[in-house]
Amino acid sequence: MSINGAVAERAAGDRSGLGRLVVAALALLLVATMVISMTTGASGASAWTIIGGWFGLVPESELQALRDHAVIYNIRLPRMILGVLIGAALAVSGLLMQGLFRNPLADPGLVGVSAGAGLGAVGIIVLGTTALAPLTAFLGIYALQIASFIGGLITTFILYRVATRSGQTAIATMLLAGIALGALAGAVTGVLVYIANDAQLRDLTFWGMGSLSGANWTKIMASGPIIIVALGAAAFMGKGLNALTLGEATAGHLGVPVQRFKRIVIVAVAAATGASVAVSGGIGFVGIVVPHLLRLVVGPDHRYLLPASALLGASFLLMADAVSRLVVAPAELPIGIVTAAVGGPFFLWILLRKRAALAW
């Protein structure tokens, strides 16, 4: 029996047809949320007025046309693109970690990986003009992303080494190790925040709550390629993740180079999470809400979970961003608060469903 056939058998039936249908539906949902993102905001600028102006359908004054053009191309378009990239990256990172650890509670935000990536970013923000000035000058606009990637990579590697023994990962050990690593990264981050000046402190406060408000083309050029490469690598991991669900020994017998595959997964998670945290701050729960919702529909087959998670993660973050802009308009609510308001109750629901398995 093939790897994918074994996974389909565990899912009590082949859901390939349903999986393809869900992926197609989520692609349409993403298009709809992209349109909503482009037409939502405190400004009265509308993409429709610009498109209509091209064809002479919507009369606009020259001043209004210039304003709408600036709002759409300099603010909303980069914000929408960054939201798509970060939402897809966080959702796929959560799915990869859950497949790697073979448990449903792994998420970069919950097990300390985001905290480690955040520590790298805060280090550059606070020390980038003093102690780390030579490094910042050498890395240029990629300094923040690379520092976050290294922080996430180190945290993921330590978490894996601590929580995994003889190829098996204990859920309780993983969560406790994640809490400890997150607390340690938080403590060092707190020291850096303590020595930050007033301007850095203000930036760090809003950055820590998660936001897409600072989106611009420079940030897309710095983080976009890293996220795209990580997502591109993840697209080829479906078969390997399906094999891992059957156990590492079985995966090895099926021809999967287990140790090398796990290292590639760790690097992909660290790159996607680090690049996302560097430009958006701490946006939690995307990586646990999205994969779980999709598993309820398409089952455990990663061939469909991976593209579906990327599409739904992007749509979820765009919808959360639209809510954050409308709830307290003309001000803006940090997007991390919106995702936490949705993800917190969802995470408690998962714990209640699986509390028997978590008892020790």
Side-chain angles (χ1 to χ4, degrees):
M1 180 179 293
S2 67
I3 296 173
N4 298 323
V7 172
E9 183 177 287
R10 291 187 62 184
D14 189 355
R15 302 187 188 180
S16 298
L18 180 60
R20 287 190 285 269
L21 182 63
V22 168
V23 171
L26 290 175
L28 295 177
L29 175 64
L30 178 58
V31 173
T33 53
M34 290 168 70
V35 172
I36 293 173
S37 177
M38 289 292 292
T39 56
T40 301
S43 167
S46 167
W48 305 122
T49 59
I50 289 183
I51 296 173
W54 290 346
F55 297 96
L57 301 175
V58 180
E60 278 192 303
S61 67
E62 184 176 351
L63 182 60
Q64 184 182 5
L66 289 173
R67 185 205 65 176
D68 288 357
H69 186 279
V71 170
I72 296 297
Y73 289 101
N74 296 333
I75 298 176
R76 291 185 186 174
L77 184 57
R79 185 171 185 144
M80 183 268 288
I81 294 173
L82 205 59
V84 169
L85 291 173
I86 292 174
L90 294 178
V92 170
S93 295
L95 178 64
L96 292 178
M97 289 201 72
Q98 290 154 25
L100 176 68
F101 288 102
R102 297 200 299 281
N103 74 73
L105 300 179
D107 172 73
L110 293 174
V111 296
V113 177
S114 294
L119 173 59
V122 171
I124 289 295
I125 292 173
V126 176
L127 303 176
T129 57
T130 54
L132 299 179
L135 179 64
T136 305
F138 175 73
L139 297 176
I141 63 172
Y142 297 100
L144 203 62
Q145 286 70 29
I146 292 176
S148 291
F149 165 70
I150 294 174
L153 182 65
I154 293 173
T155 309
T156 307
F157 178 76
I158 295 174
L159 178 71
Y160 182 80
R161 296 293 296 176
V162 171
T164 303
R165 188 172 185 180
S166 302
Q168 300 296 321
T169 302
I171 296 176
T173 304
M174 182 198 69
L175 289 176
L176 293 174
I179 291 172
L181 290 171
L184 181 60
V188 180
T189 301
V191 173
L192 293 172
V193 171
Y194 183 78
I195 64 175
N197 59 39
D198 289 343
Q200 292 170 338
L201 191 58
R202 185 168 56 253
D203 292 341
L204 290 172
T205 299
F206 287 99
W207 176 84
M209 290 188 285
S211 177
L212 298 178
S213 61
N216 54 48
W217 294 109
T218 301
K219 289 185 178 181
I220 292 175
M221 292 301 296
S223 292
I226 299 174
I227 294 175
I228 291 172
V229 169
L231 292 177
F236 297 96
M237 296 178 182
K239 184 178 178 180
L241 291 172
N242 281 348
L244 278 183
T245 62
L246 306 174
E248 291 190 9
T250 304
H253 290 308
L254 291 172
V256 176
V258 176
Q259 297 304 321
R260 187 175 67 184
F261 179 75
K262 290 192 295 187
R263 286 195 290 270
I264 294 173
V265 172
I266 289 174
V267 171
V269 169
T273 304
S276 300
V277 169
V279 294
S280 67
I283 300 176
F285 293 103
V286 178
I288 196 165
V289 171
V290 171
H292 275 282
L293 283 176
L294 291 169
R295 277 196 193 90
L296 295 176
V297 180
V298 303
D301 193 337
H302 290 84
R303 291 177 300 166
Y304 304 105
L305 280 175
L306 281 167
S309 293
L311 292 168
L312 184 58
S315 299
F316 177 70
L317 202 64
L318 288 181
M319 288 187 284
D321 183 49
V323 170
S324 74
R325 282 186 277 171
L326 294 175
V327 169
V328 293
E332 184 176 319
L333 199 65
I335 194 172
I337 296 176
V338 179
T339 58
V342 175
F346 188 82
F347 185 64
L348 288 175
W349 175 70
I350 294 173
L351 287 178
L352 290 174
R353 286 189 63 196
K354 300 183 178 297
R355 57 184 170 184
L358 291 173
W360 76 92

